[in-house]
Each structure stands twice: as structure tokens, then as C-alpha cells.
Amino acid sequence: MTSILDSFFAVSATTEGVTVRVSPNFLQEQSAPAQGRWFWSYHIRIENGGDEPVQLMTRHWRITDGRGTINHVDGDGVVGEQPLLKPGESHDYVSGCPLPTPSGTMEGQYRFIREDGTTFLAEIPRFTLVAPAIAR
């Protein structure tokens, strides 16, 4: 069964009760194709559908440009936060990604910790970054 959220978010994945939804958006005004720079924002919604609180501790991104070059980005939390999600809660944030090509993909994992100290990796589903064709 599809939800209303499925119409807003391009892709989603659920791992151990945590659903990660993604909606990318090309930002023409921040891109400079003549200088080899294309820029996207992406809206992430993380939902705790499980029965215990979980806290997002770290992120790992695998960013692949249109030439196949892969960059790995690791860090604590998301946009300076390590949100604690109680059952039924969600956390939304928006971030951005520049690429040297007009297309690419992003995917990765968030590491969560439970109250008992155990951790798990929640999948960030692969999503495509594709700049629209611009007529000249």
C-alpha cells in the first residue's frame, strides 16, 4: 500500500523499523555548468516505525558522479544534529551536494544506537541526481 509520503519522496528504504525517505531537487540557481558545477538539494525524512527509541549517531555517504568517480563522506549526525527518535517520531532535514557532472547517484547508511547500547546501520536508498536538459 502506498502512502501520501510516497508521492513526495522519490525513494525509501526501511531497516529494523527505521524508514529513510529521500527527495532530491536540482538547484539551477546554484549550478554553473560552464564551470563544471551542478548542485542538488535533498530532503531526507527519517521515521522510527519501531517500538524503541533510536538515536542517529553517524552518517556514511557514497557519492558517484557521472564519470563513475566515487567519493565517501563520513561524519557525526546530520547537519550538526544527532536526533533521538522515539517510536512514531520522524526527523526531517535538507542538505546539498555539488557534482562536477550533470548526473550521479548518492546512497549510504546512518548508524543508530538503541537505549541498550546496541547499534545498527539503516540504509539510505540510492537516489539519482540528474540535471534537466537546458535548451540553448
Side-chain angles (χ1 to χ4, degrees):
M1 180 172 152
T2 60
S3 75
I4 188 87
L5 288 175
D6 293 333
S7 64
F8 294 108
F9 293 93
V11 295
S12 66
T14 302
T15 309
E16 297 198 31
V18 173
T19 300
V20 178
R21 300 180 188 275
V22 185
S23 179
N25 184 38
F26 179 67
L27 297 180
Q28 178 69 41
E29 65 278 4
Q30 292 190 26
S31 298
Q35 286 78 48
R37 178 181 160 91
W38 289 264
F39 197 87
W40 288 263
S41 68
Y42 52 90
H43 176 176
I44 303 270
R45 168 168 279 194
I46 304 162
E47 303 166 353
N48 183 1
D51 57 6
E52 61 184 324
V54 294
Q55 185 171 14
L56 191 158
M57 300 305 293
T58 63
R59 69 186 180 282
H60 171 78
W61 284 105
R62 177 185 162 117
I63 304 165
T64 306
D65 71 20
R67 295 184 194 103
T69 302
I70 298 169
N71 286 301
H72 294 274
V73 178
D74 294 282
D76 292 337
V78 290
V79 294
E81 298 181 285
Q82 292 180 314
L84 174 65
L85 301 174
K86 295 177 183 166
E89 290 185 338
S90 63
H91 179 78
D92 288 79
Y93 74 93
V94 175
S95 192
C97 178
L99 286 180
T101 60
S103 66
T105 62
M106 290 180 68
E107 63 192 305
Q109 299 91 30
Y110 295 125
R111 185 172 61 85
F112 283 88
I113 189 167
R114 299 180 186 95
E115 287 184 321
D116 67 4
T118 60
T119 63
F120 66 96
L121 296 176
E123 178 188 357
I124 304 168
R126 176 182 296 176
F127 56 98
T128 57
L129 304 171
V130 180
I134 299 168
R136 298 203 181 260

